[in-house]
Amino acid sequence: MVSIWGTVDPMSTRAEPETDERALDLAYDVLQARCPSRLTLEHVTGRWGTLIMLALYEGPVRFNELRRRVAGVSEKMLSQGLQALERDGFVAREVLSTMPPRVEYRLTDLGLETHRRLKELAVFLESRMPEVEAAQARYEAGGNA
Amino acid sequence: MVSIWGTVDPMSTRAEPETDERALDLAYDVLQARCPSRLTLEHVTGRWGTLIMLALYEGPVRFNELRRRVAGVSEKMLSQGLQALERDGFVAREVLSTMPPRVEYRLTDLGLETHRRLKELAVFLESRMPEVEAAQARYEAGGNA
DNA sequence: CAGTATCCGAGAGGATACTG
DNA sequence: CAGTATCCTCTCGGATACTG
């Protein structure tokens, strides 16, 4: 049985009803286990994905400039994260054949729209951090420490 | 001298707020390595955090209903994720002393506002998935497979 | 500068069993 | 039902070294 999202994944332990009912539902849904949109969401919201997306603003950015912007990221994770985002079409990568070599990353249109939404989320959360920290203090004090 | 984020920093001290009003420099910033907002962002955008937040809609939801909504999540990850979100003040947990036991989770005001932004992001990404999949196909075809 | 390759430990995360 | 506890696996991700 093949769903609209490809072959049956052996990792899925859930007994999925093998009806073609789902084939009628062509909408992507991140809450569905094997929907491709879930993987893309993970690239954008993963541990480094969000931070890399947030660090991509104001025109092309070079690799080491990005490293500086995303404080704490390793070369490996930045490289892997950028590859995933490029693969999904959020980021465009341009190699300039200069000496020393220079590579520039910029958001695509899709990436820019995504960036705006992530930025909104980040700014919102930052603005509410006092409330979050108050909740944390209450939680610890409440015997859940 | 310790900054509010725990490192050596000649600029400010959390333990001694009366030293001076550097509050302007102390805005939360997720791109800073040890800013508390980065941890909260991770809880909200981590592998399961986003999906759990998205699955919390329309009033109180019970544990196993959430498990069903977030397809593929294990009991452990759901439990841990909900704890983190409760601790940060996004989710409220209410235990009803019935038989059998019943526990209801609902979004706080903070959680609801966060949910709206995550939902926007998810819906946006879902709507653009055809574009993403086209980009993926191009990427593989371009010798980067 | 801009990466890739390799090694390795820590922790994420799944399966199972058990409790109130 | 709603979890927690335990065990165990596997991936993530950091450090280091190397290439163009």
Side-chain angles (χ1 to χ4, degrees):
Chain A
M1 182 57 178
V2 176
S3 77
I4 61 164
W5 301 322
T7 55
V8 171
D9 186 345
M11 294 299 289
S12 177
T13 54
R14 256 339 143 62
E16 306 269 359
E18 299 204 355
T19 72
D20 35 19
E21 205 174 277
R22 206 194 297 112
L24 297 174
D25 181 18
L26 297 175
Y28 294 96
D29 180 358
V30 295
L31 289 180
Q32 292 307 309
R34 299 184 313 274
C35 180
S37 65
R38 187 182 277 197
L39 289 174
T40 297
L41 181 73
E42 264 187 52
H43 295 155
V44 168
T45 64
R47 173 154 182 211
W48 297 113
T50 306
L51 300 178
I52 295 173
M53 286 295 292
L54 289 174
L56 285 164
Y57 53 83
E58 288 171 9
V61 193
R62 296 173 60 188
F63 189 82
N64 278 316
E65 170 61 17
L66 273 176
R67 271 202 79 185
R68 261 169 265 125
R69 292 191 186 182
V70 185
V73 70
S74 68
E75 291 186 354
K76 178 183 173 181
M77 287 303 104
L78 179 55
S79 179
Q80 286 184 6
L82 284 168
Q83 272 185 47
L85 293 173
E86 185 194 357
R87 200 181 102 94
D88 287 351
F90 295 102
V91 168
R93 180 179 185 268
E94 185 177 8
V95 182
L96 306 178
S97 300
T98 59
M99 186 58 186
R102 187 182 274 249
V103 181
E104 293 183 340
Y105 296 89
R106 60 175 182 78
L107 293 171
T108 61
D109 289 345
L110 175 62
L112 182 57
E113 293 189 69
T114 307
H115 173 277
R116 287 207 191 97
R117 287 165 170 83
L118 290 171
K119 179 71 175 177
E120 262 188 73
L121 176 67
V123 167
F124 170 74
L125 288 178
E126 286 166 357
S127 75
R128 298 293 213 110
M129 279 306 294
E131 194 173 329
V132 168
E133 295 196 305
Q136 290 172 346
R138 246 180 288 117
Y139 188 87
E140 311 301 345
N144 294 301
Chain B
M1 335 244 182
V2 174
S3 82
I4 65 164
W5 302 325
T7 4
V8 174
D9 182 343
M11 292 296 289
S12 58
T13 299
R14 165 181 254 176
E16 302 172 29
E18 75 282 4
T19 42
D20 62 21
E21 295 303 319
R22 299 279 185 161
L24 294 174
D25 300 13
L26 298 180
Y28 294 97
D29 179 359
V30 295
L31 289 180
Q32 292 307 308
R34 292 174 309 281
C35 180
S37 66
R38 187 182 278 196
L39 289 174
T40 297
L41 182 72
E42 264 187 53
H43 294 154
V44 167
T45 65
R47 172 150 183 213
W48 297 114
T50 306
L51 300 178
I52 295 172
M53 285 295 292
L54 289 174
L56 286 164
Y57 52 82
E58 287 171 11
V61 193
R62 297 172 60 188
F63 188 82
N64 278 316
E65 170 62 16
L66 273 176
R67 270 203 78 185
R68 261 169 263 125
R69 291 191 186 183
V70 184
V73 71
S74 68
E75 291 186 353
K76 179 183 172 181
M77 286 303 104
L78 180 54
S79 180
Q80 286 185 8
L82 284 169
Q83 273 186 46
L85 293 173
E86 186 194 357
R87 201 183 101 94
D88 287 350
F90 295 102
V91 168
R93 179 177 186 271
E94 185 177 8
V95 182
L96 307 178
S97 300
T98 59
M99 187 58 186
R102 187 181 274 250
V103 180
E104 293 184 339
Y105 296 90
R106 60 174 181 78
L107 294 171
T108 60
D109 289 345
L110 175 63
L112 183 58
E113 293 190 69
T114 307
H115 173 276
R116 288 207 191 96
R117 287 165 171 83
L118 290 171
K119 179 71 174 174
E120 262 189 71
L121 177 67
V123 167
F124 170 75
L125 288 178
E126 285 166 356
S127 75
R128 297 294 213 110
M129 278 307 294
E131 195 174 328
V132 169
E133 295 196 304
Q136 289 171 347
R138 247 179 287 117
Y139 188 87
E140 312 300 345
N144 294 301

